[in-house]
Amino acid sequence: MSDDNGSRPARVEDVHELALAMPHVTVEYGTGDNPVYQVGGKSFVFFRNPRPDAVDPDTGERYVDVIVFWVESEADKQALVQDEASQFFTTAHFDGHPSVLLRASRIGELTRNELAEVVQDAWLSRASARRAAAWLRAHHPA
C-alpha cells in the first residue's frame, strides 16, 4: 500500500475491508443486518443500531452511525476517549466494557492508516493468544 493511500481520509468502506483482511474473520449480521466482525466467535468490530445512550447533545436525536471497536484495556480506552478533540467516545452503557465508539460521520477525521491500527488492535484484543502471536510475528518481525 502506498503512503498516499494510507494517509488519505478513512472511509466506512475501509472498516469493512480492513476487518475482513484480518485472519480467521467471520461476519455475522445483527439487528438491522448490521455486520458484526468476529474472530474465533468473538466480536471485535460492529456497527451499532441507534440506541438511547448515544445521542446528539444538541438535538437529542439518536446517532444512527455508531461503530464499536474493542480495545485491549481500560487504559487504551481512556487514551482514545479522554481528549475532547478525539473522534472516539464512549457512553455510560459501555462503562467497564473494553470498547470505544466512533461515528461514521467522523471517520474521515482519521487517516486510513490510523483506522487500520484501530481495527488491527481490535482484532488483536479478541483473537486467541496463538492467532495474535502469529499475526504479530508476520507483521512485526523482530
Side-chain angles (χ1 to χ4, degrees):
M1 174 185 338
S2 74
D3 286 340
D4 291 340
N5 189 27
S7 62
R8 70 160 168 78
R11 300 186 292 248
V12 172
E13 298 78 37
D14 295 326
V15 175
H16 303 291
E17 179 184 315
L18 292 163
L20 286 170
M22 298 304 293
H24 309 287
V25 169
T26 58
V27 183
E28 297 293 326
Y29 291 89
T31 310
D33 284 334
N34 287 342
V36 178
Y37 294 96
Q38 299 180 336
V39 57
K42 296 179 182 177
S43 304
F44 67 98
V45 173
F46 72 88
F47 288 74
R48 193 169 185 235
N49 289 320
R51 299 288 300 268
D53 65 304
V55 298
D56 183 298
D58 297 325
T59 66
E61 294 285 323
R62 293 180 183 187
Y63 293 146
V64 298
D65 62 343
V66 175
I67 309 166
V68 180
F69 299 89
W70 261 252
V71 294
E72 185 65 35
S73 68
E74 183 66 20
D76 291 331
K77 177 179 184 168
Q78 292 308 314
L80 288 169
V81 301
Q82 65 190 0
D83 181 354
E84 283 289 319
S86 176
Q87 304 84 352
F88 296 97
F89 68 102
T90 190
T91 68
H93 179 78
F94 286 93
D95 282 355
H97 191 273
S99 60
V100 295
L101 312 176
L102 172 68
R103 294 193 63 203
S105 60
R106 293 193 67 186
I107 202 165
E109 296 174 36
L110 298 171
T111 66
R112 189 179 190 285
N113 284 343
E114 290 168 333
L115 179 63
E117 186 176 327
V118 172
V119 171
Q120 290 163 3
D121 287 350
W123 183 90
L124 286 165
S125 76
R126 303 291 283 167
S128 67
R130 180 180 51 79
R131 286 177 175 167
W135 188 86
L136 286 168
R137 278 193 306 276
H139 291 85
H140 301 283

